[in-house]
Amino acid sequence: MTQQEIQSIVAQVVTRCLQKQEGPQQMCAVWNEIPAEASARHVHLTRESVEALFGKGAALTKRRDLSQKGEFLSEQRVRVVTPKGELSNVAVLGPERSAVQVELSRSDCRVLGIQAPVRLSGNLSGAADVYLIGPNGMVQADGSAIVAKAHIHLPPDEAVRRGLHDGQLVSVRMESSRPLTFEGIEIRVKDSFTPALHIDLDEANACALDSQTRAIILSGEREPLPIFPGKQTQEAKKEPVEIPKLVTEQVARCLTAQCQGSLILSRKTILTPSAMDVFRQSGICIERE
């Protein structure tokens, strides 16, 4: 066995150990990554509309919980209909709300022949008109259809730690087989929220979202947010980056998203062979302190 093969095996073992110790959510939080989720077309219903569509006394039946606390996918389905088109088997999410809301993608709107505005959930200003049809009746849902605006859910402590606030607009870099950067992503902060980026299926397809995709929050100026509060970026101040003593492939990928050109590391920092490959492929020049 060659020295290179031994180093590769050691690097893989250490990486697995680090992942077990820190966990994927903690790693994401440290390096400004955010779990990304694609939201397919769905509807939110009121108590009155649930009974109109599924029968008097009907209630939404939970199929499974969603990532946001208290929200769930129900067993019920409806048809979304307009004079120009129809979408069948559309999911109904719970719990019930105070207003009917239909969340679609731009592609869905073309099928239905409507012009729905891009809005955050709960903002139905200028929303389009559709009909909802269930097994027991129909609801004329005027002013209910929107194209959901991409957004990021954060609980207050996470927002503070990341230096973000409710209503802030940021850019998010999607690192995938079709990398791109989404701009104008709104931060939403609430106690019950779980950290997550929500995009619709059109956006998910545009960046080829899959389980390997990494979503990295950038500032509004499309510059990386500081990794550690109070630290300046390397471009502004040439100092060693405060990172773990062992740089694995996963850590290296996070660093390439934060730095450009060169990266100054302590002489005591150990780089695994796979991490060196990541820096080399990204054009990052490694300098030692």
Side-chain angles (χ1 to χ4, degrees):
M1 184 177 292
T2 66
Q3 184 66 25
Q4 185 174 1
E5 290 173 331
I6 294 174
Q7 289 177 336
S8 179
I9 292 172
V10 171
Q12 291 177 28
V13 172
V14 173
T15 298
R16 287 173 187 155
C17 290
L18 287 175
Q19 289 173 340
K20 288 181 180 179
Q21 290 173 355
E22 301 186 38
Q25 285 192 334
Q26 186 173 351
M27 286 294 294
C28 285
V30 170
W31 303 104
N32 292 325
E33 287 190 61
I34 189 81
E37 301 176 351
S39 181
R41 68 180 78 103
H42 61 270
V43 303
H44 298 277
L45 301 175
T46 61
R47 171 93 293 267
E48 295 75 19
S49 60
V50 168
E51 291 194 336
L53 294 167
F54 304 107
K56 187 173 179 59
L60 297 180
T61 305
K62 182 189 295 187
R63 173 179 291 185
R64 63 176 173 83
D65 289 318
L66 300 178
S67 63
Q68 298 306 310
K69 185 178 180 180
E71 297 187 1
F72 62 88
L73 172 68
S74 77
E75 295 285 356
Q76 284 83 350
R77 293 291 185 273
V78 297
R79 292 158 57 200
V80 179
V81 179
T82 69
K84 295 184 178 180
E86 175 183 329
L87 297 170
S88 60
N89 200 39
V90 177
V92 178
L93 302 189
E96 296 165 358
R97 292 194 177 186
S98 60
V100 174
Q101 180 171 292
V102 181
E103 297 186 33
L104 307 168
S105 68
R106 282 293 189 196
S107 296
D108 294 332
C109 291
R110 292 192 183 94
V111 172
L112 296 174
I114 60 175
Q115 293 291 329
V118 178
R119 296 280 188 268
L120 284 175
S121 179
N123 180 2
L124 298 178
S125 175
D129 303 336
V130 297
Y131 293 94
L132 303 181
I133 300 177
N136 289 75
M138 180 186 75
V139 170
Q140 184 174 338
D142 291 341
S144 66
I146 62 172
V147 174
K149 183 178 182 181
H151 55 279
I152 291 173
H153 291 282
L154 288 175
D157 58 338
E158 274 289 309
V160 170
R161 193 166 61 79
R162 293 172 185 256
L164 301 170
H165 59 81
D166 188 59
Q168 181 177 352
L169 299 180
V170 298
S171 297
V172 177
R173 178 183 299 149
M174 308 298 290
E175 296 195 349
S176 64
S177 58
R178 297 178 69 182
L180 57 78
T181 298
F182 290 120
E183 299 182 353
I185 308 296
E186 188 157 342
I187 301 296
R188 306 193 72 182
V189 179
K190 190 175 180 180
D191 288 331
S192 61
F193 283 166
T194 299
L197 164 67
H198 282 180
I199 57 179
D200 67 23
L201 288 187
D202 284 351
E203 293 162 324
N205 288 332
C207 68
L209 180 69
D210 59 25
S211 61
Q212 301 302 311
T213 299
R214 296 173 60 244
I216 301 172
I217 302 175
L218 311 177
S219 71
E221 290 72 38
R222 297 187 65 176
E223 291 297 330
L225 292 165
I227 297 178
F228 297 94
K231 289 288 182 180
Q232 299 183 32
T233 62
Q234 280 198 294
E235 196 169 22
K237 188 174 182 180
K238 289 282 185 178
E239 290 186 354
V241 173
E242 194 174 335
I243 61 174
K245 292 182 180 180
L246 176 67
V247 177
T248 63
E249 179 181 356
Q250 184 177 8
V251 175
R253 292 189 183 282
C254 293
L255 288 172
T256 58
Q258 301 287 335
C259 303
Q260 294 182 351
S262 64
L263 183 66
I264 299 178
L265 301 178
S266 167
R267 291 186 179 278
K268 296 181 180 180
T269 301
I270 300 173
L271 294 177
T272 65
S274 56
M276 294 176 65
D277 289 340
V278 170
F279 289 132
R280 190 179 301 111
Q281 294 168 7
S282 301
I284 300 295
C285 178
I286 301 300
E287 300 178 21
R288 292 290 186 173
E289 180 184 16

